Amino acid sequence: MIPSTIYKLLFFVSPLAVILLGEFPALDADPLTCWLVEEVGSPRSIRQTPVLLVFGDSTGLTPEPPVTPEPGTLVFYLSDPSGQLLSSGFTSCELTRHLPQEVPLNWVRSLTEEQVSPPSLGKEWYTMSMRDDKKGIAVSSVLGPAGDKKDHMAVSLAVYTSSVKVNAPLGKSLALPCGLWRGKQSRFAVEWRHRALGDGKVLYAYDGWRDRIEEELPGYTMNFSTVHSKGDASLILEKVETSHEGTYLCIIYVPYLRAQRDIHLQVTAKPQITLLPSPLFARPGEEVTLFCEISHFHPLEISVDFLVQLPGETSPTLMPGTSLSTHGNNQDGTYTITGYQRFTASPELHGARYSCIVNHASSTKAMSQSQTLQVAGVLGPSIEDGMYLFLVALFLYGFLSYLHRKFKLFFSTSREEPNDKQKKNKGE
Ligand SMILES: *[C@@H]1O[C@H](CO)[C@@H](O)[C@H](O)[C@H]1NC(C)=O
């Protein structure tokens, strides 16, 4: 390559580099306010100190932006090679002190078998937990020392979820989203727990360094190839049952450090709704009970209303005094309930439309079933009745005229036969 080409290339590359640096989020990001939460004193109390997080790069090539914090506010200069901390506007951020340590679990032991702990472990470490309540995303990261300055830190491990609350339809398969960033660290382990009492039950444990599944309950899997290639450690539930509901912990270990994220799973089942009696007939003065049977739904919380749209009115009105039965439990963990509503039939209610409206977590829209009331002996035959009578008359007419023709033929032939014979006889 001749020198002039190199010069030209440099000429093109340098504006590009400037653009790339300008796009780099770490340099653009606004400082973030976080709270350092500590237990202090005796008797112990919680102390909260505001911390201003100033994002920068760890190379020190770009000057740090000037900050003038409020008195009493700490300033941390943070470099984030994971790129996870800048991805959105977090609505809450909390820092706690992190104590690096060995973990006595089978699937974590291999991570520290070398027994060489870097001296930086003796310095200050923090766990930072951030949440974006609007988007439902959350990140937990471990911050460690960067260089010699006490207020300079770098992310060394991050665990994140795209959804802290997951709604899962009963019977379908599902992935509980969890991602990890571990830099160049090749020793790591993934653990999934279902939190019930205490620390909860281990559902799945994977030693990523040895590439070995250490614990695995039936019905739960993980895709190791995506764990290694993309840091996607999502737990796959083969078939969602109501017993799966609850809080899950996605815990990631690297040597001496750990970070975790919680994900809440709600199992939903959409109810079947039947409004009885069907069809809805009544005599004038009769007391009518409407039954709205709502079956096989989950979770239990549900709202049931009855509406009536009277003949000639353009919109329905709420019927007061709906009562609900106690709920029944189905074998699959779903519930069944019946709503009741009473009214007295009268001639004016003929043609009124009664609806049962159900609102439930399994559907963003209200679900409903309707019946139209027919009051006996009112208003005479309706248009529909008239149509039926007409059709019956038409059928009878056709049938009778067919019979008429058939009989006429029969009688005429039976009468003619002897005549023919007679004629023949005469002819012989
Ligand atoms: C794991 O994920 C990869 C990439 O998304 C996919 O091609 C593969 O089929 C998955 N493996 C299993 C066992 O599901």
Side-chain angles (χ1 to χ4, degrees):
M1 201 183 275
I2 52 169
S4 67
T5 328
I6 293 170
Y7 172 77
K8 274 180 202 158
L9 268 180
L10 277 176
F11 188 77
F12 280 111
V13 164
S14 50
L16 195 68
V18 171
I19 291 164
L20 282 177
L21 281 172
E23 294 285 312
F24 191 60
L27 305 174
D28 273 352
D30 289 330
L32 187 79
T33 308
C34 213
W35 292 90
L36 175 62
V37 181
E38 297 166 290
E39 268 195 11
V40 288
S42 120
R44 295 209 159 258
S45 61
I46 300 286
R47 185 172 70 190
Q48 298 200 31
T49 316
V51 180
L52 197 64
L53 291 169
V54 182
F55 290 97
D57 71 0
S58 52
T59 58
L61 288 178
T62 44
E64 268 135 16
V67 280
T68 42
E70 307 258 316
T73 301
L74 298 173
V75 178
F76 285 177
Y77 295 92
L78 185 63
S79 75
D80 173 25
S82 79
Q84 292 301 324
L85 309 190
L86 305 155
S87 41
S88 79
F90 288 100
T91 46
S92 74
C93 176
E94 192 179 285
L95 279 165
T96 47
R97 286 187 198 278
H98 186 99
L99 188 67
Q101 60 189 325
E102 267 181 82
V103 181
L105 287 169
N106 282 344
W107 44 95
V108 186
R109 213 158 270 143
S110 78
L111 311 188
T112 50
E113 67 195 350
E114 285 176 313
Q115 296 291 331
V116 281
S117 57
S120 65
L121 287 184
K123 295 190 179 171
E124 298 274 16
W125 288 77
Y126 296 91
T127 292
M128 184 157 74
S129 176
M130 302 155 106
R131 264 176 93 125
D132 179 340
D133 287 328
K134 219 150 90 196
K135 287 192 197 146
I137 69 173
V139 186
S140 281
S141 51
V142 177
L143 313 183
D148 293 330
K149 289 190 197 149
K150 225 182 151 193
D151 57 356
H152 280 60
M153 263 166 283
V155 174
S156 52
L157 172 66
V159 182
Y160 45 91
T161 181
S162 57
S163 192
V164 288
K165 279 204 183 101
V166 176
N167 263 6
L170 186 70
K172 301 264 166 66
S173 78
L174 173 85
L176 286 172
C178 180
L180 70 111
W181 180 88
R182 56 191 158 95
K184 292 196 173 68
Q185 181 55 260
S186 52
R187 290 174 187 259
F188 74 100
V190 181
E191 178 188 314
W192 275 96
R193 279 177 192 261
H194 191 186
R195 191 193 274 157
L197 294 168
D199 279 347
K201 189 167 64 177
V202 176
L203 305 172
Y204 202 91
Y206 173 67
D207 180 338
W209 169 243
R210 291 219 178 107
D211 189 21
R212 228 164 59 180
I213 303 168
E214 301 280 352
E215 290 282 334
E216 186 183 28
L217 290 194
Y220 300 96
T221 53
M222 211 173 66
N223 186 330
F224 326 113
S225 83
T226 62
V227 176
H228 287 274
S229 63
K230 300 180 201 153
D232 179 355
S234 299
L235 182 71
I236 299 152
L237 275 62
E238 278 161 17
K239 191 164 178 275
V240 171
E241 295 169 15
T242 53
S243 61
H244 287 141
E245 193 154 281
T247 301
Y248 289 76
L249 296 180
C250 172
I251 310 169
I252 308 296
Y253 299 90
V254 294
Y256 304 99
L257 306 173
R258 57 171 267 174
Q260 68 180 49
R261 211 48 257 185
D262 53 323
I263 297 146
H264 188 79
L265 175 69
Q266 183 176 55
V267 178
T268 56
K270 208 170 174 171
Q272 275 145 22
I273 304 169
T274 317
L275 183 58
L276 296 169
S278 169
L280 184 54
F281 287 124
R283 291 182 316 279
E286 185 182 342
E287 175 109 355
V288 181
T289 305
L290 294 171
F291 301 87
C292 186
E293 286 180 8
I294 304 149
S295 66
H296 293 87
F297 61 94
H298 197 274
L300 184 55
E301 190 179 31
I302 198 161
S303 93
V304 183
D305 287 308
F306 284 88
L307 300 183
V308 60
Q309 184 165 357
L310 296 172
E313 288 190 356
T314 50
S315 62
T317 48
L318 185 72
M319 298 174 78
T322 295
S323 50
L324 281 180
S325 70
T326 54
H327 66 265
N329 298 297
N330 303 312
Q331 215 149 37
D332 60 1
T334 59
Y335 305 103
T336 295
I337 208 167
T338 305
Y340 303 93
Q341 184 61 248
R342 282 199 182 80
F343 67 91
T344 307
S346 64
E348 305 82 67
L349 291 177
H350 181 81
R353 195 152 177 79
Y354 291 87
S355 309
C356 172
I357 310 286
V358 176
N359 278 289
H360 186 251
S362 58
S363 169
T364 49
K365 280 189 255 162
M367 294 163 274
S368 72
Q369 280 290 312
S370 302
Q371 294 283 349
T372 302
L373 176 68
Q374 310 276 333
V375 180
V378 192
L379 298 175
S382 65
I383 292 175
E384 276 177 16
D385 295 342
M387 292 277 287
Y388 283 122
L389 281 177
F390 178 72
L391 284 175
V392 168
L394 204 66
F395 171 75
L396 274 179
Y397 172 78
F399 184 64
L400 286 175
S401 59
Y402 167 77
L403 280 182
H404 179 71
R405 265 186 275 125
K406 223 25 193 191
F407 273 96
K408 220 164 101 183
L409 208 64
F410 175 75
F411 283 126
S412 60
T413 48
S414 57
R415 257 185 267 125
E416 275 167 17
E417 266 175 9
N419 289 351
D420 286 351
K421 275 177 193 166
Q422 279 171 3
K423 277 177 195 168
K424 278 176 194 167
N425 288 347
K426 274 183 189 171
E428 276 170 11

